[in-house]
Structure formats: C-alpha cells, structure tokens
Amino acid sequence: MRSIKPIILFVVVAICGSNIHAQTVDKKQMAERVKAEFLHSWIGYKQYCWGHDDLKPISKTCRDWYGTPILMTPVDSLDSLYLLGFKKEADATREYIVKNLSFDKDISVQNFEVTIRILGGLLSAYQMTDDKRLLALADDLGTRLLPVFNSPTGLPYKNVNLKTGKTSGEISNPAETGTLIIEFGTLSKLTGKPIYYEKAKRALVETYNRRSPIGLVGTNINVETGKWTNTDSHLSAEIDSYYEYLLKCSILFDDLDCRNMWEDSITKVHTYLADEGETMSKKNVAKNAVFVGDLWYGHADMNTGKRTATTTGALDAFFPAVLVLDGDLNRARVYQDSLFTMWKVQGIEPEVYNYRTGKIEHGGYPLRPEIVESTYFLYQATKDPKYLAMGKQMFEDLVKHCRTDVAYAGLKNVETKEKTDYMHRFWLAETLKYFYLLFADEKKVDIKKVVFNTEAHPIKKTWK
Ligand code: DMJ
C-alpha cells in the first residue's frame, strides 16, 4: 500500500504552485536577464579557463576531459553565442576554434559525449555561419570516430582513440548506441559521404532489434555479443535520448524506418513504463489521451514489464518535449506538471526522485536543462502563459541557488543547496539557451524547421 504522506505532499505542492497561471511574465525583460546570466557565466569561463574544456567555478580552476583540451565549452557554446545575439564574441570564439582545435591527438574519447557536444556544435555553428572550416573540422572528427562502429554487431564501442582508432568499452547502453544519427546523418547530408548516416542508422536499428519480446530496451548491452547485461527499462540515464533520436531521426531525415521504430516503441513505453497513479484504473496508451490523475514514468523489467522502481528525475524531464514533437500534447502537459511538482519540492529538481514515496534518492543537480527544454517546447506548442511563469520560477531558483561570483555551479544536494565545484558546459549550451528561447522573440528559431540534437544544437533541415 502506498503511504498517504507523499500524496499529501504532492497535493500541497501542486496547490501552492497552481496560481502560477495568474502571473504575467515580461518576456523581453526575462530574455535580457537570461542574456545577462549567460554573459556572467561565459566571462567567468573565459577569465579562468579560456582554451580549456570546463570551468570549476568555486576553486576557479579548470578541467580538461582527456588531459589535453578539445575546447568543450567554446564549441558547445558557439551557437548559443550566436542565438543570444553576442555576434562579436561568437565570431572571435569561432576564429579561436578554427585556429586551435585539432583532433589529431593520442587520446581515447567517449564517442557519445564528443558526438553530441563537439560534432553537434560544429555542425550547428556551420549551418549558422556557412564557415566551411567548421564543416571540415566536423568531417575530420567524424572520420576519426568511425572505428567505434567496427564491432561484430555494428553497435558502437563506447570509446575510440582519435589518433590510432583503437576502440574500448564493450558494455554500452541505448543512449550511447542510439544517439548518433542526428549528428552523423547531418554530416553525411552536408559532406555527401553516406558512410556516416549508414553507420549511425545501423547502430540505431541494431539497438531497436534487440528490444525484448514486449518491446522494451534495457540499460546496458554488450556491443560484441549483442546481449543485455542490465535489463532495467526506463526513460532515464543511459536510455533517455535513444527514444528522442528515434523520433527526431524520422522528423529530420523523413526516415520511415525511424518513424516505424518510434511508433512501435512509444506504445510500449506508455504501456509498461507509464505510471498513472491510483485514479486511473486502466492503462491509457492512445495519443492525446485525457488524464485525470498524475502521470509519471518509472522503471520496469524489459522482459516481464514488472515495475522495478517508482523513480524519475531531472534527466527524465526531456520527455514532455519529445511528446510535444510527437503531437501528444495532453500527455506532455500532464507529465510536465508532475515534473514541475518534483522541482518545487526543494525549489530545484533532484537527480533521482521517488514519485511514490516523495523521497529524494539522489539529491544532486548539475545544472541540467531537460525540464527547461520541455517548458520551451510546451510554450511553443500551446502559447499557454503558464509555461512562461514556470520558466521564470525555475530561472529565479537557479539564480538564487546556483550563481557564484564568477559563473554558475551545480548542487551537491538540492536539500542543503551545497554547491559543487563544477559548471557543466551544458549550462551554456542547453539550459540557458532554452531559457532564452522560451522568453525571446519566437522568430529566433522556427521549431518546425529545425531539430535540436540532444545537446540543444539546432540542425536545419536544409542540406547545402
Ligand atoms: C546532456 O549532455 C544531454 O542532454 C544528454 O542527452 C543527457 N543530458 C545532458 C544534460 O543533462
């Protein structure tokens, strides 16, 4: 039996937050405030860590992922600089990248991370500037990453040495095997080299082909044997963007296989992972189903469909945005409300939250963007001012709890609000970009003409 306490907590938080509708938000002023905080963070990075991968904002020291920099923050932030209107700064950063970024390095990198951040960032900035040098860098990086696909199954290894092509990491996960097609596919379209699309598409299909008899994927898979090593199924870390890319692949490339894989998968997600609370007697899988209670997505075993955990968290919050793209607005709205309730429990969302016990199971918050991304997509689709108010509240909370004298820091624990000494570059690449787009003139980005990769790099559906 479920305890009554979390239900009361949920209702109290939901009621306290319900007058969010009544607030009016000055969009222009908010867009300016976001720009100011972006600049604060960017200047802090530049002052202490220019030329390095990441800023540690408390000690004011730097982190390079692989011992030698590959300009993570500059490349990941470049399209944000253009979008937020810092053209002079963006042009100077672009010149710096072109002159200083080299992938001819004897380092073993994580394919997924480098693909979504560096390849995605270079391609999106290339489409914004038409600077062929960025495409050449992307092409060079793509070639160096290709050996990852040389496994017996076609599922990519996790890591590859950029100089030698040596691969490592045979235990991977659907997020890493299936979140490559936007970047590799775009590289194919822009360079005319089909190999990138073919390899990433095969990796996606091979992941899908290994779904269980009830249509779910697990958390970990061996890329050499194709066997699952962890059968926990959910929408969280290590699986999340696999689903995102099934749908986005079909939108960006009009790829029918991707469309069919998505349609099949999403039904199974609604059937086995959705948790509709006590008010629903029967699972509702239809698109735009009407919900009378709260809606969450939990964990289930991929083979039996049996519920294994009633946890969600900051990473899962990408899902309302995907539902919006799928035209499933009712479901997106209801799930976003649940996630925002999770945010309000401590005034910042935790990494792992048990939606049935109300317990925070992992209290970290590393400046994640997903809930802001979903707020932006919901506002674009509905124009409901409630989402502006939601975004404003989240922004205020972040300024209050995560701002430092030189930039922004994640939280070790959302309950104590103790800071970490780290500013993930997705703060600049994603979180602040989505905040800005939420409040800025809607013409800045036409979401019907672009697809955002999972690191918020917008890719235009035009290939020249
Ligand atoms: C980002 O690196 C990407 O969005 C990725 O898909 C998972 N989440 C982080 C930010 O939270």
Side-chain angles (χ1 to χ4, degrees):
M1 242 218 352
R2 278 166 50 191
S3 131
I4 197 107
K5 245 165 74 201
I7 300 167
I8 294 171
L9 176 71
F10 185 89
V11 172
V12 169
V13 175
I15 291 170
C16 293
S18 63
N19 58 13
I20 200 159
H21 299 259
Q23 294 182 27
T24 49
V25 173
D26 183 338
K27 285 176 64 182
K28 242 191 172 152
Q29 188 207 34
M30 282 306 296
E32 286 310 312
R33 286 186 62 199
V34 175
K35 281 178 74 166
E37 295 313 306
F38 182 98
L39 211 52
H40 172 68
S41 310
W42 175 250
I43 288 171
Y45 160 74
K46 274 188 77 176
Q47 186 180 351
Y48 295 100
C49 292
W50 185 236
H52 292 280
D53 286 344
D54 286 325
L55 166 70
K56 296 167 81 173
I58 308 290
S59 60
K60 302 178 174 90
T61 56
C62 314
R63 178 189 169 216
D64 290 317
W65 281 41
Y66 305 109
T68 170
I70 47 172
L71 305 187
M72 284 282 191
T73 293
V75 177
D76 224 3
S77 308
L78 185 54
D79 59 16
S80 295
L81 285 166
Y82 280 113
L83 275 175
L84 270 66
F86 300 116
K87 185 168 181 320
K88 217 169 136 208
E89 196 64 28
D91 285 343
T93 303
R94 174 157 57 100
E95 281 309 312
Y96 184 86
I97 290 169
V98 168
K99 291 205 175 85
N100 293 283
L101 183 57
S102 161
F103 299 116
D104 189 20
K105 290 189 156 105
D106 190 5
I107 52 173
S108 179
V109 303
Q110 197 176 344
N111 178 49
F112 164 77
E113 298 290 357
V114 166
T115 297
I116 65 169
R117 299 166 204 281
I118 307 260
L119 199 50
L122 289 171
L123 290 169
S124 145
Y126 164 65
Q127 287 191 319
M128 282 181 186
T129 60
D130 218 13
D131 185 336
K132 299 266 183 301
R133 297 172 301 174
L134 297 174
L135 182 60
L137 275 168
D139 195 12
D140 178 43
L141 176 59
T143 307
R144 292 171 188 274
L145 295 175
L146 276 178
V148 288
F149 298 104
N150 296 340
S151 73
T153 60
L155 293 166
Y157 288 97
K158 272 174 94 101
N159 312 303
V160 61
N161 185 300
L162 290 180
K163 201 190 255 305
T164 65
K166 187 173 179 298
T167 53
S168 64
E170 71 265 24
I171 305 298
S172 193
N173 55 69
E176 299 201 36
T177 60
T179 309
L180 305 166
I181 185 84
I182 293 180
E183 300 79 3
F184 280 80
T186 298
L187 192 54
S188 272
K189 299 276 184 190
L190 294 173
T191 59
K193 299 177 184 173
I195 188 165
Y196 299 123
Y197 194 103
E198 287 163 11
K199 296 282 187 188
K201 170 92 180 275
R202 175 161 180 224
L204 188 58
V205 172
E206 294 288 347
T207 308
Y208 171 77
N209 284 348
R210 286 171 175 80
R211 70 197 181 284
S212 70
I214 60 168
L216 294 175
V217 294
T219 304
N220 294 118
I221 190 163
N222 184 315
V223 304
E224 294 188 334
T225 63
K227 298 265 181 279
W228 294 99
T229 59
N230 177 341
T231 60
D232 191 26
S233 195
H234 48 82
L235 295 177
S236 200
E238 301 191 280
I239 298 183
D240 46 8
S241 45
Y242 159 70
Y243 288 114
E244 178 184 348
Y245 272 36
L246 284 177
L247 178 62
K248 289 184 174 176
C249 161
S250 79
I251 296 171
L252 184 60
F253 303 118
D254 297 315
D255 187 310
L256 211 61
D257 298 330
C258 290
R259 170 59 61 179
N260 291 335
M261 292 189 288
W262 162 257
E263 296 292 353
D264 175 49
S265 303
I266 190 62
T267 315
K268 308 301 168 15
V269 165
H270 294 325
T271 304
Y272 297 107
L273 301 184
D275 197 340
E276 295 166 20
E278 290 178 340
T279 39
M280 295 297 296
S281 52
K282 174 166 152 304
K283 273 283 163 64
N284 207 340
V285 298
K287 193 177 274 189
N288 273 316
V290 176
F291 293 88
V292 290
D294 60 330
L295 170 68
W296 299 94
Y297 287 82
H299 292 230
D301 182 82
M302 67 179 278
N303 293 309
T304 62
K306 198 169 165 282
R307 176 79 55 217
T308 49
T310 52
T311 50
T312 183
L315 281 165
D316 301 53
F318 78 101
F319 201 55
V322 171
L323 292 170
V324 168
L325 275 182
D326 193 32
D328 202 344
L329 275 186
N330 283 349
R331 198 173 255 108
R333 275 175 170 278
V334 177
Y335 190 33
Q336 177 77 1
D337 285 347
S338 298
L339 292 163
F340 189 49
T341 305
M342 170 178 79
W343 178 282
K344 286 182 293 185
V345 170
Q346 287 296 332
I348 294 221
E349 64 185 354
E351 190 74 348
V352 182
Y353 175 68
N354 191 317
Y355 54 81
R356 289 295 169 231
T357 64
K359 198 167 165 259
I360 290 173
E361 296 198 357
H362 180 338
Y365 174 71
L367 301 169
R368 291 209 188 279
E370 286 79 1
I371 196 167
V372 188
E373 171 185 1
S374 287
T375 310
Y376 164 61
F377 272 83
L378 270 160
Y379 180 66
Q380 288 295 316
T382 64
K383 294 291 173 305
D384 185 339
K386 156 184 169 172
Y387 295 111
L388 295 176
M390 210 180 253
K392 180 167 188 271
Q393 184 169 334
M394 291 190 283
F395 182 75
E396 310 278 14
D397 290 339
L398 288 171
V399 175
K400 185 166 168 205
H401 299 300
C402 300
R403 196 178 204 271
T404 76
D405 55 339
V406 299
Y408 271 75
L411 299 180
K412 272 187 195 150
N413 188 322
V414 295
E415 289 167 286
T416 62
K417 308 289 186 303
E418 188 192 349
K419 292 187 176 74
T420 61
D421 188 15
Y422 202 49
M423 181 174 81
H424 275 277
R425 71 255 119 246
F426 50 67
W427 169 247
L428 292 163
E430 298 191 70
T431 316
L432 286 172
K433 184 188 284 154
Y434 283 128
F435 269 125
Y436 176 72
L437 291 175
L438 170 66
F439 300 120
D441 182 339
E442 277 129 49
K443 289 191 209 91
K444 277 267 166 193
V445 168
D446 182 347
I447 57 167
K448 292 199 182 68
K449 295 204 177 117
V450 307
V451 167
F452 287 90
N453 88 336
T454 196
E455 188 74 2
H457 296 303
I459 302 293
K460 282 188 228 152
K461 294 171 77 172
T462 48
W463 319 114
K464 51 175 184 118

